[in-house]
Structure formats: structure tokens, C-alpha cells
Amino acid sequence: MDKQKLTFNIPRQSLICIGLCLVGILIFLVAGFLPASRTMAELEVKKATAQYKIEEQKTLTPLFHAFREIEGRKASEILPMLAKTKLPRTQIDTLSLQLNAAAQVSGMSLISANPNLKDMTSGAQFLPVSVVLRGDFAQFRKLLINLGGLSYVEHIEEISIRMKPDSREYKLTIWIAVG
């Protein structure tokens, strides 16, 4: 028996067409998978970032609520905008008591409150008062807010702060509207 040769008579043009189709499929697969893998890597980074932010939010939420609660309590420390009035001349002697009350509400201690009566003439509309207080800076802030709540306080002219071993000493010159 004769051995039969297996020969394929495939035209050259068909082989070229098959090769071009295989190259086209290969290019299509590479062009599709490379951008997809880059996109997957970018999505993994975004996912990790989002998870970190979620964990951060879970951690900081109690702190946020605590700050919000503190902010709600400090609404009373907003500077009141009262209509300006004048302190009647008959009540000038109660001025130190009113300043002492404002100091005690803020947690400070009033050392002295001396009205400058020599600047006070019969027609003067303002009375300068030298005030000396003792306390810390947070309490001083509260005191300034309380002084803003007194309708007859025209303005604060001078503030000086001196350090003491146990606390700070504040000297103020307050102008009081009198009438």
C-alpha cells in the first residue's frame, strides 16, 4: 500500500486572511483587557479610600455630636445686641454691685470698680469706670459678653492684662452712659 500523503492545499490568500483575523482578535482582546485592568486598579484605590473615609466618619461621629452639643450650650454666650440706654444718676452707687454680679456670673472676682467722679460734671453723658478683675482668659471672655448685655455700657476704652502667680489680673476702663 502506498502511503498517502496528506496535503493541504489551502490557498495562500486564505492563510493571510486567517492570520489577519487572528491578529485582529488578539488586538481586540489586548485593547479590551488592558484598560479594564487599569480601571479595576483605580476602582480598588477608590474603594480603599472610601472605606477609610467611612471608618474615619464612624470614629469621629461621637466627637462631632459632642461638639454640636457644646455649641448648642454656648448659644447663651452670644453677644447680646441691646438698645442702648442710660444709667440713671440715682443708680450710680449700684454700679459696682451690677459689675460684681456680671463678674460672678462669668466666674471672675471683682477686685475694684472705681468711677472717675472728677470727670463727671453736671452735664456729662458718660462716666469712666476703672475696673480691676481676677480670673482666667475664658472667664474674661464671658465677662465681656456679660458686659455687652448691660445696656448702659457705652464702650470699653482700655484693657490691660497682668500675669499673677495664681491667675491673671485684668484692668478695664469702661464708659457708662448716664442720664
Side-chain angles (χ1 to χ4, degrees), residues 87-113:
L87 181 68
R89 291 184 187 274
T90 58
Q91 292 183 359
I92 290 176
D93 56 342
T94 64
L95 184 62
S96 62
L97 295 174
Q98 294 172 5
L99 292 175
N100 189 28
Q104 286 180 350
V105 167
S106 63
M108 296 188 80
S109 59
L110 179 70
I111 305 301
S112 67

PDB file of all heavy atoms in Angstrom, residues 87-113:
ATOM      1  N   LEU A  87     -27.845 104.898  82.358  1.00  0.00           N
ATOM      2  CA  LEU A  87     -27.990 104.573  83.764  1.00  0.00           C
ATOM      3  C   LEU A  87     -28.432 105.837  84.496  1.00  0.00           C
ATOM      4  O   LEU A  87     -27.782 106.876  84.386  1.00  0.00           O
ATOM      5  CB  LEU A  87     -26.650 104.073  84.327  1.00  0.00           C
ATOM      6  CG  LEU A  87     -26.634 103.660  85.787  1.00  0.00           C
ATOM      7  CD1 LEU A  87     -27.471 102.392  85.985  1.00  0.00           C
ATOM      8  CD2 LEU A  87     -25.209 103.409  86.245  1.00  0.00           C
ATOM      9  N   PRO A  88     -29.548 105.793  85.206  1.00  0.00           N
ATOM     10  CA  PRO A  88     -29.986 106.994  85.942  1.00  0.00           C
ATOM     11  C   PRO A  88     -28.928 107.391  86.984  1.00  0.00           C
ATOM     12  O   PRO A  88     -28.277 106.545  87.587  1.00  0.00           O
ATOM     13  CB  PRO A  88     -31.284 106.556  86.614  1.00  0.00           C
ATOM     14  CG  PRO A  88     -31.741 105.359  85.845  1.00  0.00           C
ATOM     15  CD  PRO A  88     -30.515 104.702  85.306  1.00  0.00           C
ATOM     16  N   ARG A  89     -28.759 108.683  87.170  1.00  0.00           N
ATOM     17  CA  ARG A  89     -27.747 109.190  88.103  1.00  0.00           C
ATOM     18  C   ARG A  89     -27.994 108.695  89.528  1.00  0.00           C
ATOM     19  O   ARG A  89     -27.067 108.563  90.311  1.00  0.00           O
ATOM     20  CB  ARG A  89     -27.714 110.711  88.068  1.00  0.00           C
ATOM     21  CG  ARG A  89     -27.167 111.254  86.760  1.00  0.00           C
ATOM     22  CD  ARG A  89     -27.053 112.774  86.798  1.00  0.00           C
ATOM     23  NE  ARG A  89     -26.685 113.300  85.499  1.00  0.00           N
ATOM     24  CZ  ARG A  89     -25.433 113.418  85.080  1.00  0.00           C
ATOM     25  NH1 ARG A  89     -24.447 113.047  85.847  1.00  0.00           N
ATOM     26  NH2 ARG A  89     -25.170 113.901  83.885  1.00  0.00           N
ATOM     27  N   THR A  90     -29.232 108.405  89.828  1.00  0.00           N
ATOM     28  CA  THR A  90     -29.544 107.929  91.176  1.00  0.00           C
ATOM     29  C   THR A  90     -29.059 106.493  91.398  1.00  0.00           C
ATOM     30  O   THR A  90     -28.938 106.056  92.536  1.00  0.00           O
ATOM     31  CB  THR A  90     -31.060 107.995  91.421  1.00  0.00           C
ATOM     32  OG1 THR A  90     -31.726 107.215  90.433  1.00  0.00           O
ATOM     33  CG2 THR A  90     -31.561 109.423  91.398  1.00  0.00           C
ATOM     34  N   GLN A  91     -28.768 105.770  90.329  1.00  0.00           N
ATOM     35  CA  GLN A  91     -28.343 104.381  90.454  1.00  0.00           C
ATOM     36  C   GLN A  91     -26.841 104.194  90.251  1.00  0.00           C
ATOM     37  O   GLN A  91     -26.370 103.071  90.139  1.00  0.00           O
ATOM     38  CB  GLN A  91     -29.101 103.504  89.449  1.00  0.00           C
ATOM     39  CG  GLN A  91     -30.566 103.378  89.752  1.00  0.00           C
ATOM     40  CD  GLN A  91     -31.257 102.442  88.774  1.00  0.00           C
ATOM     41  OE1 GLN A  91     -30.639 101.911  87.861  1.00  0.00           O
ATOM     42  NE2 GLN A  91     -32.554 102.245  88.975  1.00  0.00           N
ATOM     43  N   ILE A  92     -26.087 105.286  90.207  1.00  0.00           N
ATOM     44  CA  ILE A  92     -24.640 105.182  90.018  1.00  0.00           C
ATOM     45  C   ILE A  92     -24.003 104.428  91.184  1.00  0.00           C
ATOM     46  O   ILE A  92     -23.047 103.678  90.995  1.00  0.00           O
ATOM     47  CB  ILE A  92     -24.009 106.578  89.831  1.00  0.00           C
ATOM     48  CG1 ILE A  92     -24.429 107.138  88.474  1.00  0.00           C
ATOM     49  CG2 ILE A  92     -22.501 106.525  89.923  1.00  0.00           C
ATOM     50  CD1 ILE A  92     -23.944 108.545  88.207  1.00  0.00           C
ATOM     51  N   ASP A  93     -24.563 104.562  92.379  1.00  0.00           N
ATOM     52  CA  ASP A  93     -23.982 103.875  93.531  1.00  0.00           C
ATOM     53  C   ASP A  93     -24.176 102.358  93.464  1.00  0.00           C
ATOM     54  O   ASP A  93     -23.473 101.607  94.129  1.00  0.00           O
ATOM     55  CB  ASP A  93     -24.545 104.433  94.833  1.00  0.00           C
ATOM     56  CG  ASP A  93     -26.059 104.361  94.899  1.00  0.00           C
ATOM     57  OD1 ASP A  93     -26.686 104.211  93.844  1.00  0.00           O
ATOM     58  OD2 ASP A  93     -26.603 104.457  96.020  1.00  0.00           O
ATOM     59  N   THR A  94     -25.120 101.867  92.646  1.00  0.00           N
ATOM     60  CA  THR A  94     -25.329 100.424  92.496  1.00  0.00           C
ATOM     61  C   THR A  94     -24.482  99.841  91.365  1.00  0.00           C
ATOM     62  O   THR A  94     -24.539  98.643  91.117  1.00  0.00           O
ATOM     63  CB  THR A  94     -26.810 100.111  92.213  1.00  0.00           C
ATOM     64  OG1 THR A  94     -27.177 100.679  90.952  1.00  0.00           O
ATOM     65  CG2 THR A  94     -27.700 100.634  93.321  1.00  0.00           C
ATOM     66  N   LEU A  95     -23.705 100.681  90.708  1.00  0.00           N
ATOM     67  CA  LEU A  95     -22.910 100.234  89.557  1.00  0.00           C
ATOM     68  C   LEU A  95     -21.913  99.145  89.945  1.00  0.00           C
ATOM     69  O   LEU A  95     -21.759  98.148  89.231  1.00  0.00           O
ATOM     70  CB  LEU A  95     -22.186 101.430  88.925  1.00  0.00           C
ATOM     71  CG  LEU A  95     -21.386 101.143  87.668  1.00  0.00           C
ATOM     72  CD1 LEU A  95     -22.295 100.638  86.567  1.00  0.00           C
ATOM     73  CD2 LEU A  95     -20.672 102.400  87.215  1.00  0.00           C
ATOM     74  N   SER A  96     -21.239  99.313  91.068  1.00  0.00           N
ATOM     75  CA  SER A  96     -20.256  98.302  91.471  1.00  0.00           C
ATOM     76  C   SER A  96     -20.937  96.964  91.783  1.00  0.00           C
ATOM     77  O   SER A  96     -20.373  95.900  91.509  1.00  0.00           O
ATOM     78  CB  SER A  96     -19.447  98.780  92.676  1.00  0.00           C
ATOM     79  OG  SER A  96     -20.295  98.975  93.784  1.00  0.00           O
ATOM     80  N   LEU A  97     -22.146  96.990  92.305  1.00  0.00           N
ATOM     81  CA  LEU A  97     -22.883  95.749  92.559  1.00  0.00           C
ATOM     82  C   LEU A  97     -23.246  95.047  91.246  1.00  0.00           C
ATOM     83  O   LEU A  97     -23.170  93.817  91.147  1.00  0.00           O
ATOM     84  CB  LEU A  97     -24.147  96.031  93.381  1.00  0.00           C
ATOM     85  CG  LEU A  97     -23.938  96.550  94.802  1.00  0.00           C
ATOM     86  CD1 LEU A  97     -25.270  96.922  95.430  1.00  0.00           C
ATOM     87  CD2 LEU A  97     -23.213  95.523  95.637  1.00  0.00           C
ATOM     88  N   GLN A  98     -23.658  95.836  90.254  1.00  0.00           N
ATOM     89  CA  GLN A  98     -24.013  95.253  88.961  1.00  0.00           C
ATOM     90  C   GLN A  98     -22.781  94.689  88.256  1.00  0.00           C
ATOM     91  O   GLN A  98     -22.842  93.625  87.641  1.00  0.00           O
ATOM     92  CB  GLN A  98     -24.716  96.303  88.103  1.00  0.00           C
ATOM     93  CG  GLN A  98     -26.058  96.704  88.667  1.00  0.00           C
ATOM     94  CD  GLN A  98     -26.679  97.879  87.922  1.00  0.00           C
ATOM     95  OE1 GLN A  98     -26.155  98.336  86.924  1.00  0.00           O
ATOM     96  NE2 GLN A  98     -27.800  98.366  88.436  1.00  0.00           N
ATOM     97  N   LEU A  99     -21.651  95.384  88.349  1.00  0.00           N
ATOM     98  CA  LEU A  99     -20.409  94.873  87.756  1.00  0.00           C
ATOM     99  C   LEU A  99     -19.936  93.631  88.506  1.00  0.00           C
ATOM    100  O   LEU A  99     -19.425  92.688  87.881  1.00  0.00           O
ATOM    101  CB  LEU A  99     -19.334  95.953  87.766  1.00  0.00           C
ATOM    102  CG  LEU A  99     -19.573  97.147  86.839  1.00  0.00           C
ATOM    103  CD1 LEU A  99     -18.499  98.206  87.041  1.00  0.00           C
ATOM    104  CD2 LEU A  99     -19.618  96.707  85.387  1.00  0.00           C
ATOM    105  N   ASN A 100     -20.105  93.602  89.815  1.00  0.00           N
ATOM    106  CA  ASN A 100     -19.745  92.427  90.599  1.00  0.00           C
ATOM    107  C   ASN A 100     -20.610  91.232  90.202  1.00  0.00           C
ATOM    108  O   ASN A 100     -20.122  90.103  90.093  1.00  0.00           O
ATOM    109  CB  ASN A 100     -19.873  92.714  92.096  1.00  0.00           C
ATOM    110  CG  ASN A 100     -19.310  91.603  92.941  1.00  0.00           C
ATOM    111  OD1 ASN A 100     -18.409  90.891  92.520  1.00  0.00           O
ATOM    112  ND2 ASN A 100     -19.848  91.435  94.134  1.00  0.00           N
ATOM    113  N   ALA A 101     -21.893  91.455  89.972  1.00  0.00           N
ATOM    114  CA  ALA A 101     -22.793  90.375  89.544  1.00  0.00           C
ATOM    115  C   ALA A 101     -22.368  89.838  88.186  1.00  0.00           C
ATOM    116  O   ALA A 101     -22.349  88.620  87.964  1.00  0.00           O
ATOM    117  CB  ALA A 101     -24.233  90.879  89.501  1.00  0.00           C
ATOM    118  N   ALA A 102     -22.014  90.734  87.261  1.00  0.00           N
ATOM    119  CA  ALA A 102     -21.547  90.298  85.938  1.00  0.00           C
ATOM    120  C   ALA A 102     -20.251  89.501  86.061  1.00  0.00           C
ATOM    121  O   ALA A 102     -20.046  88.507  85.351  1.00  0.00           O
ATOM    122  CB  ALA A 102     -21.351  91.504  85.023  1.00  0.00           C
ATOM    123  N   ALA A 103     -19.378  89.904  86.973  1.00  0.00           N
ATOM    124  CA  ALA A 103     -18.115  89.185  87.182  1.00  0.00           C
ATOM    125  C   ALA A 103     -18.372  87.808  87.777  1.00  0.00           C
ATOM    126  O   ALA A 103     -17.751  86.820  87.368  1.00  0.00           O
ATOM    127  CB  ALA A 103     -17.188  89.996  88.076  1.00  0.00           C
ATOM    128  N   GLN A 104     -19.278  87.715  88.735  1.00  0.00           N
ATOM    129  CA  GLN A 104     -19.564  86.435  89.374  1.00  0.00           C
ATOM    130  C   GLN A 104     -20.233  85.467  88.402  1.00  0.00           C
ATOM    131  O   GLN A 104     -19.948  84.273  88.433  1.00  0.00           O
ATOM    132  CB  GLN A 104     -20.430  86.639  90.608  1.00  0.00           C
ATOM    133  CG  GLN A 104     -19.660  87.217  91.770  1.00  0.00           C
ATOM    134  CD  GLN A 104     -20.536  87.413  93.000  1.00  0.00           C
ATOM    135  OE1 GLN A 104     -21.759  87.285  92.930  1.00  0.00           O
ATOM    136  NE2 GLN A 104     -19.900  87.732  94.121  1.00  0.00           N
ATOM    137  N   VAL A 105     -21.107  85.970  87.542  1.00  0.00           N
ATOM    138  CA  VAL A 105     -21.752  85.108  86.549  1.00  0.00           C
ATOM    139  C   VAL A 105     -20.705  84.517  85.613  1.00  0.00           C
ATOM    140  O   VAL A 105     -20.794  83.363  85.206  1.00  0.00           O
ATOM    141  CB  VAL A 105     -22.822  85.896  85.753  1.00  0.00           C
ATOM    142  CG1 VAL A 105     -23.269  85.137  84.521  1.00  0.00           C
ATOM    143  CG2 VAL A 105     -23.999  86.208  86.648  1.00  0.00           C
ATOM    144  N   SER A 106     -19.679  85.295  85.292  1.00  0.00           N
ATOM    145  CA  SER A 106     -18.639  84.807  84.387  1.00  0.00           C
ATOM    146  C   SER A 106     -17.576  83.990  85.110  1.00  0.00           C
ATOM    147  O   SER A 106     -16.700  83.426  84.473  1.00  0.00           O
ATOM    148  CB  SER A 106     -17.983  85.978  83.658  1.00  0.00           C
ATOM    149  OG  SER A 106     -17.335  86.825  84.584  1.00  0.00           O
ATOM    150  N   GLY A 107     -17.608  83.946  86.431  1.00  0.00           N
ATOM    151  CA  GLY A 107     -16.635  83.158  87.186  1.00  0.00           C
ATOM    152  C   GLY A 107     -15.408  83.946  87.606  1.00  0.00           C
ATOM    153  O   GLY A 107     -14.444  83.367  88.093  1.00  0.00           O
ATOM    154  N   MET A 108     -15.420  85.253  87.432  1.00  0.00           N
ATOM    155  CA  MET A 108     -14.286  86.087  87.833  1.00  0.00           C
ATOM    156  C   MET A 108     -14.579  86.737  89.177  1.00  0.00           C
ATOM    157  O   MET A 108     -15.704  86.726  89.651  1.00  0.00           O
ATOM    158  CB  MET A 108     -14.030  87.162  86.764  1.00  0.00           C
ATOM    159  CG  MET A 108     -13.614  86.608  85.425  1.00  0.00           C
ATOM    160  SD  MET A 108     -13.123  87.872  84.283  1.00  0.00           S
ATOM    161  CE  MET A 108     -11.463  88.197  84.846  1.00  0.00           C
ATOM    162  N   SER A 109     -13.541  87.312  89.762  1.00  0.00           N
ATOM    163  CA  SER A 109     -13.748  88.044  91.011  1.00  0.00           C
ATOM    164  C   SER A 109     -13.423  89.511  90.775  1.00  0.00           C
ATOM    165  O   SER A 109     -12.388  89.846  90.202  1.00  0.00           O
ATOM    166  CB  SER A 109     -12.876  87.458  92.123  1.00  0.00           C
ATOM    167  OG  SER A 109     -11.521  87.521  91.771  1.00  0.00           O
ATOM    168  N   LEU A 110     -14.327  90.359  91.199  1.00  0.00           N
ATOM    169  CA  LEU A 110     -14.160  91.802  91.067  1.00  0.00           C
ATOM    170  C   LEU A 110     -13.294  92.289  92.224  1.00  0.00           C
ATOM    171  O   LEU A 110     -13.637  92.097  93.382  1.00  0.00           O
ATOM    172  CB  LEU A 110     -15.520  92.507  91.070  1.00  0.00           C
ATOM    173  CG  LEU A 110     -15.494  94.020  90.955  1.00  0.00           C
ATOM    174  CD1 LEU A 110     -15.061  94.437  89.558  1.00  0.00           C
ATOM    175  CD2 LEU A 110     -16.847  94.607  91.283  1.00  0.00           C
ATOM    176  N   ILE A 111     -12.151  92.903  91.886  1.00  0.00           N
ATOM    177  CA  ILE A 111     -11.267  93.443  92.908  1.00  0.00           C
ATOM    178  C   ILE A 111     -11.708  94.858  93.257  1.00  0.00           C
ATOM    179  O   ILE A 111     -11.867  95.199  94.428  1.00  0.00           O
ATOM    180  CB  ILE A 111      -9.795  93.444  92.425  1.00  0.00           C
ATOM    181  CG1 ILE A 111      -9.370  92.045  91.977  1.00  0.00           C
ATOM    182  CG2 ILE A 111      -8.873  93.988  93.499  1.00  0.00           C
ATOM    183  CD1 ILE A 111      -9.484  90.982  93.029  1.00  0.00           C
ATOM    184  N   SER A 112     -11.918  95.679  92.229  1.00  0.00           N
ATOM    185  CA  SER A 112     -12.386  97.045  92.495  1.00  0.00           C
ATOM    186  C   SER A 112     -13.106  97.587  91.273  1.00  0.00           C
ATOM    187  O   SER A 112     -12.843  97.178  90.146  1.00  0.00           O
ATOM    188  CB  SER A 112     -11.211  97.958  92.860  1.00  0.00           C
ATOM    189  OG  SER A 112     -10.366  98.130  91.752  1.00  0.00           O
ATOM    190  N   ALA A 113     -14.013  98.518  91.518  1.00  0.00           N
ATOM    191  CA  ALA A 113     -14.721  99.250  90.472  1.00  0.00           C
ATOM    192  C   ALA A 113     -14.810 100.690  90.948  1.00  0.00           C
ATOM    193  O   ALA A 113     -15.585 101.011  91.853  1.00  0.00           O
ATOM    194  CB  ALA A 113     -16.100  98.660  90.229  1.00  0.00           C
TER     195      ALA A 113
END
